[in-house]
Amino acid sequence: MRTTVGIIGAGPAGLLLARLLNRAGIDSVVLESRDRAYVEQRQRAGILEQGTVDVLRAAGAGERMDREGLRHDGIELRHDRTRHRVDFPALTGGRSVTVYAQTEVCKDLIALQLKEGGPLFFEAEALAVEDPDGDSPRIRYRHQGRESVLHCDYVVGCDGFWGVARRAIPEELTRTFERAYPFAWLGILADVPPSHDELVYARHDRGFALLSMRSPSVSRLYLQVPDGTDAEEWSDDAVWAELAQRFETDDDWRLERGPITQKSVTPMRSWVHEPMRHGRLFLAGDAAHIVPPAGAKGLNLAVGDVVTFARALTHRRDTGSEELLDAYSPTCLRRVWQAERFSYDMTTMLHRAPDATPFDDRIQRARLARLASSRAAETELAQAYTGFPLD
Ligand code: APR
Ligand code: PHB
């Protein structure tokens, strides 16, 4: 088989890239190792930056998002029983975010791809990318028990943190940057209306907590737990009791409880792989960078990468110029590092490290107090949260 762009992975990065290329008249083939049901059910974050919403709409993939997504004009920061709202539009000249789960984005893009796009193969596992710096790189893959080769003009590794694509880049040409955190998030889905109409990020001496949502009747909540925690160690009652403590305020706000339908633990890391390109192999999304989830940036970064690649390849086709393809890695990395910085700031401001000293606690409180009293500090948070420009 032969194609212009071989895409490994059908997460949000691979699926959106296939859609963008299809709209630009460039053919592609997507290989995904998991089955469709798995990809459509995997729980991930659910905050779309304004720029991500605009891209999905322009790609003709925004219809259900526009109907079911919830526009959010702010978040609440909580600490020491006090609450402070950050008003996004007022601080950013009208920008906001949209709550629409990543799983729903994937479902929409899969349906469109199968109806209008090029081939998308599930249970097709890429084994290796060969000859990435030659004129015609290849993806060796296994599908329905048979090994085959996909010949490509370009390969884009959208295969996540555990993928194989980046292994094709010689190690001596790469550098990775990493920070592991000594805590994780226990996430739950619960059949109960969210107890607040916007997200609540809470710092507490017992650890961080986050109130989020999937719909007006489904809540998504997270608790900071020690690294290596097994979700089954936590009974439903213990989860609700801990959440209630960490969100407690001095006013009459109450946490509503309901049946928990899912529980899982997410580890936390910051990680960047440089460069994001080698010859005709490009990396996008989690294959090249991971952020801790407190900034809600993972999906939005993946969108930025594939938009940059689709633009660059369209430019190459229309003008013959390699200029934008050559600029791919530095262009993406500028935005990636801003998101890394913001995600790191949010993480370290809100989580309690096991070895935190009284000095660290005071600094966290001072950072939160600064946000509550300085428009400049709040503006910085609002700009970063609603998203860095795509250019
Ligand atoms: N062959 C084919 N597919 C593969 C292979 C392989 N060898 N290895 C991994 N994959 C698939 C995975 O099964 C997964 O569906 O690649 C896909 C990668 O998708 P994601 O992990 O969702 O990564 P990405 O599309 O970059 O999306 C980034 O996901 O992790 C979240 O927070 C992150 O929201 C962000 C988003
Ligand atoms: C989520 O809804 O899953 C979510 C929201 C905000 C975050 C992380 C996760 O920062």
Side-chain angles (χ1 to χ4, degrees), residues 166-177:
R166 69 173 177 274
R167 288 190 217 147
I169 308 180
E171 213 169 292
E172 62 275 16
L173 300 180
T174 71
R175 255 189 103 178
T176 55
F177 303 84

Side-chain angles (χ1 to χ4, degrees), residues 335-371:
R335 200 162 164 271
V336 166
W337 276 110
Q338 285 306 317
E340 291 287 349
R341 173 191 66 79
F342 174 64
S343 305
Y344 171 86
D345 283 351
M346 287 288 277
T347 304
T348 55
M349 179 172 73
L350 295 165
H351 291 72
R352 194 139 198 288
D355 59 352
T357 63
F359 178 85
D360 297 329
D361 289 341
R362 283 287 192 276
I363 291 288
Q364 285 188 325
R365 291 192 163 97
R367 288 164 74 184
L368 285 156
R370 176 79 185 152
L371 276 167

Side-chain angles (χ1 to χ4, degrees), residues 44-47 185 199 201 210 212-214 220 222 293-296 385:
R44 295 280 181 72
I47 303 293
W185 280 12
L199 271 65
Y201 288 81
L210 170 61
S212 180
M213 61 205 69
R214 287 292 172 265
R220 175 80 169 151
Y222 297 95
Y385 198 97

